[in-house]
Amino acid sequence: LNDEDIHHFECLRIPSTNEQRDFDDLVLGLTKVLIDSLNEKQLNKFIEKELRGGIKGGISRLEAVFKNNCIEEYEDHIQFLRKLQNLRSSSSAHRKGSNYIKIATEFEIGSKDLISVFGGILAKSVDLLDYFIGVCSSAELQKS
């Protein structure tokens, strides 16, 4: 994150209220930290040159790195990132509509309070970061 966006990281927390606005702001901040901050230029170093052009977006690029390096058990993490991006796109970034209703159901919004939902999202985020640390520490990645 650059200096102008570091507040998104510093403000991450379990919400103190069950207000939609607070939840949407936290989802927006978390996606900036986890997804928008994926360094696509660095990820490209781990993808064969001829494959790079056909890959659009940071999540797909990250998935390609895992596939190309035979990294295992990444699928749930990629799925989580895609769902989080969809939640942000259908709630915080745009007006809520039918897409929001679908993704809200996947995150159990409505059947759980927003405080619990975001707590679960943060827990999955920590699992994701732990996974990244494990992959990077194991030196399984090879530059192309």
Side-chain angles (χ1 to χ4, degrees):
L1 295 171
N2 59 33
D3 290 342
E4 292 81 14
D5 283 330
I6 196 69
H7 69 278
H8 290 291
F9 175 74
E10 293 171 343
C11 292
L12 284 176
R13 60 181 166 66
I14 294 177
S16 56
T17 67
N18 201 35
E19 293 184 29
Q20 187 71 50
R21 179 181 176 183
D22 197 20
F23 179 82
D24 288 350
D25 288 346
L26 289 166
V27 167
L28 180 64
L30 185 59
T31 57
K32 286 188 180 202
V33 170
L34 292 180
I35 300 168
D36 297 349
S37 296
L38 289 171
N39 189 330
E40 293 186 41
K41 185 176 179 181
Q42 289 296 324
L43 289 172
N44 276 338
K45 294 179 180 180
F46 300 95
I47 302 170
E48 296 174 27
K49 254 185 182 169
E50 57 274 2
L51 299 176
R52 292 178 193 164
I55 303 170
K56 303 292 183 219
I59 299 171
S60 294
R61 203 163 300 281
L62 178 64
E63 183 176 27
V65 168
F66 291 147
K67 282 181 184 177
N68 288 347
N69 288 274
C70 300
I71 306 295
E72 296 180 352
E73 300 178 9
Y74 66 86
E75 294 88 354
D76 288 343
H77 299 293
I78 294 295
Q79 183 180 34
F80 166 68
L81 288 173
R82 291 189 194 286
K83 285 181 181 179
L84 183 61
Q85 178 70 30
N86 194 3
L87 180 61
R88 193 263 310 251
S89 294
S90 62
S91 64
S92 310
H94 302 285
R95 291 178 44 194
K96 291 174 180 60
S98 59
N99 287 342
Y100 177 75
I101 294 168
K102 181 180 176 185
I103 195 67
T105 302
E106 290 190 44
F107 280 99
E108 300 183 273
I109 297 170
S111 61
K112 290 184 176 180
D113 62 70
L114 296 175
I115 295 169
S116 299
V117 171
F118 197 76
I121 291 171
L122 280 179
K124 286 184 179 186
S125 299
V126 170
D127 290 344
L128 170 74
L129 295 173
D130 284 341
Y131 177 77
F132 285 170
I133 291 168
V135 166
C136 293
S137 298
S138 69
E140 293 181 53
L141 296 175
Q142 297 178 10
K143 291 185 179 181
S144 292

